Structure formats: structure tokens, C-alpha cells
Amino acid sequence: MNFINDDIFMAEEKFEPKITCFVCNWCTYTGADLAGTSRLKQQTNARLIRVPCTGRIDPVFIIKAFESGADGVLVSGCHPADCHYNTGNYHARRRWIFFRELLKQVGIPESRLHFSWVSASEGKKWVDVVNGVIDTVRKEGPFEDYHKVNTEFAFPEPEEAVCS
Amino acid sequence: MQELIQAAQAALTSKEAAFIIGYALTPDGKKTRPFIARTPDEAAKLVFNHTCAHNLAVYLTRIAKPKEGKMGIVAKGCDTRAIVALIQENKITRDQVYIIGVNCSGVTADVTLPFGADNLPSKCIMCQVQVPPVSDVLVGTAAPYDKPKDAVTERMQLLEAMNEHERFAFWASEFEKCIKCYACRQTCPMCYCEQCIVDKTVPRWIESSASLRGNFSWNMIRAFHLAGRCIGCGECERACPMDIPLMLLNRKMGMVAMQQFNYRHGVNPEEPTLVGSYNMQDNNEFFK
Ligand code: SF4
Ligand code: SF4
Ligand code: SF4
């Protein structure tokens, strides 16, 4: 049995947001890699998921991230006209124009979902974008609305599916 | 309705159409239900009245395509938008369908109550196509009817006025009711995927239990898949046994299509679909 009231400890601890980033292989992932090899300082709240192209990012991924407890999501890829597959980011952009509005309509604020174009040579820009997103979400606090959806009514996942 | 029956019988007799998807009376004679007539005799049962609210275009992708002849369909003006949308999405071609257009004087929102200004669905209140814009043969007469204020528009404004937490709470209370019956999907003419994303289990993208988490993702993704494609027939909301106001999501997506792209799906069969195409000048303001 756990006699320690976790909540008391949690309240004293500073809130650190969890940010899920979906980044394309050719530009932003490489840009983030450059930031690392250049030893640029960045906050460590971001978890990167590498996908072949922004066109591969199904909006269901973003919902899944919120379901898995993300406080914010960042989506990033090659600049327009720079896509490795020529048009993947144009198709993606058009989908997100709809998806953003849909999220706003159900009450998921813009501050939870961010978009950027970061090229392979923009290590510095990546650091600025990530730090900016992390700061914004930290100020917003935990995404309690969605966390409630995840915990209050959901059936528990089977044991083996839990990885932490 | 003799005109409708004659048109259907003529199409079946001449073998132009292999069958006619239309409406027939329910056994109690008070309402109508979808009905497929395959012979001229069966076509005598076809009717059209204020209770013909269904959008029959949903059957065009569900039914086996005939080897000979076209798929005949009785379509109101609003239903033809679904047919054109299916043509745009390459699900059917124009020469596979034989459209018996019916001039429409409005249908009921609740088919068990009498027709009138207080029993009109949103689509009839906003209707601009009482005379079907596309058809192979046109029957019936379109009578004007009183159009009250649109309830969906009013609810949209209420939702607009809420802050994000209130809006989220509103949808949580609505989605909580969802029982995952998928009636909204089954009745939608544009939901024709052979395997719906919600039925995929490896990986399971959307929780299939009727928990709030799964309901949120299901309803958001359903609305998103219809973004720029929904033709506003309102059948999803009408079919929903839990009265979830799905049109508040669909309408929003339609507004984005209109405001940002000046686009309406199902109007011009030649036009490329909105989400299937792109433009280099699309809104780029939300990117850092
Ligand atoms: S989403 Fe609803 S309103 Fe839109 S086409 Fe499908 S059934 Fe009709
Ligand atoms: S909800 Fe999406 S995946 Fe399912 S049938 Fe409709 S469009 Fe297809
Ligand atoms: S029809 Fe209504 S209750 Fe059924 S799955 Fe759709 S939203 Fe849920």
C-alpha cells in the first residue's frame, strides 16, 4: 500500500509538459540532429517521432498523442517547395487547415498544437521552435481536459501495452 | 406519384436501368423506407412524399454494380449533391447512374410528426435545390414552404461564444452518450471505405469500446474524414440514436471549405476534390 500522498509531492514539483513532436525524416529530423551535433542547448521535454514525410502524419496520430498523455504536440517538416517527395507537405498543410479548425471546434485550444517548417540546416531554428512550444505549453499547464477524457471513463489498457 | 412510377417503369422496361433505388411506404402506410424496384411491377410501389428524408445515394456504393444497365435512383436536389460528390471521388461514373430527379417540397425532420415549419431539417431550411440540378428525367412539382430560422446555425453561434473549456465540456457530455453503433457512418453516402479506420485493430487507432476516450477520437476522426467532403445531408445526425449534434462538427468543416477555399463538394463533377488536391498558396500563417 502506498502511504505517501503523491499529490502533495506533485504539487510542489514544477510542472514539466510532455511534448510529442512528429517530424519528417528529411528536414526537421535532420535539423534537430544538427542542433544536437552543434551542441545547441534545448529543453528536454520534447519526444520526437520520425516519419518519412509530413504527408504521412495522419491526424489520428495527433489524437493518439493526446490520448497517451501529451500536453502539447508539434508537427514539423520541410518548407513548402522543399519536400523530399515534392508535394507531401502541401497535402499535409491542406489537411491541417481543416484539422486545426476541427480541434478548436471541440475545444482543444491552438496552444496545444503547433506547426513549423524547419529545414535540415536550421538547427538553430529548431531549438527556438521547440523551446518556444515548450514554454507556451508550460504556461498553459497540464492538458487537464484531455487527461480527464483519458482516465475517467476509459477502460484500462492490458498490462503488456503499458510502457513507461 | 404516377409520374414517378411511369418514369421508373419506362427506365426498367427499356433496360436503361437494372433497378431503381427509391422509396416505398412502410407496412403501416405512415412513413416511407428505402426500396429497390427491379421489375416494372415492383416499380408501382414507388412513392415520394414529405417523409422521404433518406439520402438514397448511400446505396450507390453499397450495392453490387449491375452487369447490364445503370443503377437507377430517385433523388431529391440535395441527394444529387451526394451523387455528384461520388462522381468527383471516382466511386461511380455519371453513365453508371440513371437519376430520376424529384422536385421536392421539403421533408420532415421527425418522420413520425406532420410536415410543417416546426418540423423541418436543417437541409430543407437552407435548401437552394428544390429542383434537382442534375437528372436524367425530372418528375413532380416543387411547392414553396415556410422556412423558419435554422437551429444548427443558432447552436453554432452558442458554441462559438463558449471558451475552450466550456466547449470541451460540452462535447464531453455529448460524446459520452455515443454507443459506437456507427449508424452515423453507415448512413453517410460519403463513408464508403471498405475498411473503416475504427474497425482496424492492428494497430488499433481508435478505441472500440464506448469509452469517452474512444468516443472522442471516433467522432473527431469521423468528422475529419468528412472534411471538405460532407455534402450536408444531415443523415448522420438523423440516424444517431443518441442525438449527438454531429452537424455542429460537419457544418464547421463545411464553413472552412467555403471560407478558405470557396469550395462546395458535390457541385461540379469535373472539379478535383478539396482534400485530394493542394495549392501552393494555401494558408501558411499558422506555421512557425
Ligand atoms: S457526414 Fe453526415 S451530413 Fe455529411 S454527408 Fe455524411 S451523413 Fe451527410
Ligand atoms: S469514418 Fe473515415 S474511415 Fe470510416 S468509413 Fe468514414 S471516411 Fe472511411
Ligand atoms: S450514430 Fe451516434 S451513437 Fe452511433 S456511433 Fe455515431 S455518434 Fe455514436
Side-chain angles (χ1 to χ4, degrees), chain A residues 84-158:
Chain A
H84 186 79
Y85 307 100
N86 297 335
T87 58
N89 54 0
Y90 291 132
H91 284 290
R93 181 170 63 186
R94 189 159 270 199
R95 289 206 292 269
W96 296 333
I97 290 173
F98 283 100
F99 190 60
R100 282 174 78 236
E101 295 294 333
L102 179 68
L103 290 194
K104 278 193 243 165
Q105 184 76 347
V106 295
I108 298 177
E110 280 177 274
S111 55
R112 300 287 173 190
L113 179 57
H114 300 259
F115 298 89
S116 67
W117 304 129
V118 174
S119 81
S121 59
E122 292 177 323
K124 177 77 179 77
K125 178 175 179 187
W126 169 252
V127 171
D128 292 344
V129 166
V130 158
N131 283 341
V133 169
I134 294 170
D135 289 341
T136 311
V137 178
R138 186 182 290 112
K139 229 190 290 148
E140 289 288 313
F143 193 3
E144 259 155 20
D145 279 340
Y146 220 103
H147 294 343
K148 263 191 239 157
V149 166
N150 291 337
T151 49
E152 268 181 21
F153 300 93
F155 288 90
E157 293 271 335

Side-chain angles (χ1 to χ4, degrees), chain A residues 56 58-61 63-64 67-68 74-75 79-80 86-87 90-91 93-111 114-118 125 129 132-133 140 143 145-146 148-150 153-158, chain B residues 156 159-160 163-165 167-169 171-172 175-176 197 204-207 209-214 216-217 219-221 223-225 227-228 248-249 252-254 256-257 260-261 273-284 286-288:
Chain A
R56 175 64 185 97
D58 190 316
V60 80
F61 295 0
I63 294 176
K64 226 18 185 198
E67 286 189 352
S68 314
L74 168 64
V75 173
H79 285 268
N86 297 335
T87 58
Y90 291 132
H91 284 290
R93 181 170 63 186
R94 189 159 270 199
R95 289 206 292 269
W96 296 333
I97 290 173
F98 283 100
F99 190 60
R100 282 174 78 236
E101 295 294 333
L102 179 68
L103 290 194
K104 278 193 243 165
Q105 184 76 347
V106 295
I108 298 177
E110 280 177 274
S111 55
H114 300 259
F115 298 89
S116 67
W117 304 129
V118 174
K125 178 175 179 187
V129 166
V133 169
E140 289 288 313
F143 193 3
D145 279 340
Y146 220 103
K148 263 191 239 157
V149 166
N150 291 337
F153 300 93
F155 288 90
E157 293 271 335
Chain B
M156 288 289 284
L159 206 58
E160 205 71 33
N163 72 27
E164 65 232 19
H165 298 293
R167 223 178 284 164
F168 198 89
W171 283 113
F175 291 158
E176 197 188 344
I197 188 168
R204 190 187 59 179
W205 287 113
I206 295 172
E207 228 165 271
S209 60
S211 63
L212 189 55
R213 169 157 67 172
F216 250 91
S217 52
N219 281 288
M220 282 196 277
I221 289 297
F224 176 74
H225 284 186
L248 297 182
L249 297 176
K252 179 75 190 180
M253 295 292 91
V256 176
Q260 300 215 21
F261 302 98
T273 62
L274 192 56
V275 197
S277 57
Y278 67 88
N279 189 322
M280 297 196 193
Q281 268 69 54
D282 281 350
N283 177 13
N284 200 45
F286 58 94
F287 288 90
K288 287 194 219 328

Side-chain angles (χ1 to χ4, degrees), chain A residues 6-104:
Chain A
D6 285 340
D7 288 348
I8 296 175
F9 285 91
M10 293 304 280
E12 284 174 359
E13 226 172 74
K14 200 166 132 241
F15 163 66
E16 282 302 334
K18 282 191 203 135
I19 312 288
T20 308
C21 307
F22 295 98
V23 296
C24 87
N25 180 39
W26 303 99
C27 289
T28 305
Y29 187 86
T30 320
D33 206 25
L34 177 67
T37 47
S38 319
R39 299 272 188 272
L40 296 177
K41 272 250 172 323
Q42 59 173 309
Q43 302 179 60
T44 53
N45 306 49
R47 288 119 164 106
L48 266 63
I49 296 175
R50 173 157 66 155
V51 292
C53 174
T54 39
R56 175 64 185 97
I57 304 169
D58 190 316
V60 80
F61 295 0
I62 296 168
I63 294 176
K64 226 18 185 198
F66 288 128
E67 286 189 352
S68 314
D71 298 301
V73 172
L74 168 64
V75 173
S76 186
C78 309
H79 285 268
D82 254 2
C83 177
H84 186 79
Y85 307 100
N86 297 335
T87 58
N89 54 0
Y90 291 132
H91 284 290
R93 181 170 63 186
R94 189 159 270 199
R95 289 206 292 269
W96 296 333
I97 290 173
F98 283 100
F99 190 60
R100 282 174 78 236
E101 295 294 333
L102 179 68
L103 290 194
K104 278 193 243 165

